[in-house]
Amino acid sequence: YKNHVQCIDVGCGWQDGHGHGSQIVGLRDCFGLELDLISIKVLDQKNMCDVSTLVTALEVVDELEADIVCLALAIDIDEISNELREFFSEISCKGKILISALQNRKEKSYPAALNGVIGVRMSQEPSPKFYDKTRLIQCELPIEPIILESLDGRYQVLNGNSLACALFTYHVAGCIANGFVKQTYSD
């Protein structure tokens, strides 16, 4: 397959020290799609993301002609600023599909809880809820942990809401590639 990954540095470097992003990108081959991926590392060494780094990454994403933005992360705050809320809305209005993981072991987190963002979590239920726009978290996937090779050759378990977010993102990418979802861009 002709899968390409371009890395963009927004201040956190691009080297994946803990394997989270590498594993998310590594899933692409499971779907047999020709995808061009852009990886923007926003998690620090403690696997945390601060709002200013996320804003910088989103400014880069805003300029790209990307179909899907996969945010396998969550911001651990009680409420998100109106400025960041509006920024996510603007990106969504440009035709980009925003998909974000719910924070593990939480009922609400950002950006998954925002309008214009498809919130995804791993489900304990046996049947998936692929998309329900009336819910705070629109997609729940029953998944088992998987083992993937990281960039450094180690094998690690990928589990939780990041895995669910990535799997749903690749599912949507397949729908776009097969013509089931039409993307349009507006300026």
Side-chain angles (χ1 to χ4, degrees):
Y1 306 111
K2 294 182 180 179
N3 295 309
H4 305 280
V5 180
Q6 174 189 353
C7 297
I8 297 176
D9 184 0
V10 295
C12 292
W14 59 270
Q15 191 73 19
D16 185 5
H18 41 73
H20 185 266
S22 300
Q23 290 179 320
I24 298 297
V25 169
L27 286 170
R28 74 190 187 279
D29 293 330
C30 299
F31 287 82
L33 300 169
E34 273 192 34
L35 300 173
D36 291 324
L37 302 177
I38 299 170
S39 177
I40 303 174
K41 180 182 173 189
V42 295
L43 301 178
D44 63 18
Q45 295 300 353
K46 294 179 183 176
N47 212 20
M48 302 295 287
C49 175
D50 64 64
V51 174
S52 64
T53 302
L54 180 59
V55 167
T56 302
L58 289 172
E59 288 170 344
V60 170
V61 167
D62 190 36
E63 298 299 319
L64 299 172
E65 287 193 19
D67 293 324
I68 305 169
V69 179
C70 175
L71 298 153
L73 58 85
I75 304 170
D76 188 16
I77 53 177
D78 292 329
E79 188 59 40
I80 198 162
S81 72
N82 285 336
E83 181 182 10
L84 194 53
R85 185 181 301 273
E86 289 172 16
F87 199 49
F88 274 103
S89 178
E90 288 173 20
I91 292 172
S92 177
C93 286
K94 290 183 178 181
K96 297 174 192 321
I97 299 172
L98 301 170
I99 302 171
S100 178
L102 177 69
Q103 185 176 355
N104 290 327
R105 295 173 292 286
K106 297 276 185 161
E107 291 299 314
K108 180 179 178 183
S109 66
Y110 296 99
L114 293 173
N115 288 334
V117 177
I118 300 172
V120 180
R121 76 168 151 204
M122 180 179 76
S123 174
Q124 303 302 320
E125 301 297 321
S127 59
K129 295 179 179 114
F130 273 107
Y131 185 74
D132 182 349
K133 69 179 180 178
T134 64
R135 298 180 60 158
L136 180 62
I137 302 304
Q138 296 82 21
C139 179
E140 295 182 6
L141 297 176
I143 56 171
E144 295 291 328
I146 60 173
I147 298 173
L148 289 172
E149 187 175 4
S150 188
L151 285 178
D152 63 4
R154 296 179 295 148
Y155 286 90
Q156 294 178 319
V157 174
L158 183 59
N159 193 10
N161 295 337
S162 289
L163 174 58
C165 179
L167 291 175
F168 185 73
T169 298
Y170 287 119
H171 173 75
V172 172
C175 290
I176 291 170
N178 290 308
F180 299 125
V181 175
K182 184 177 178 183
Q183 284 302 109
T184 58
Y185 299 100
S186 61
D187 293 324

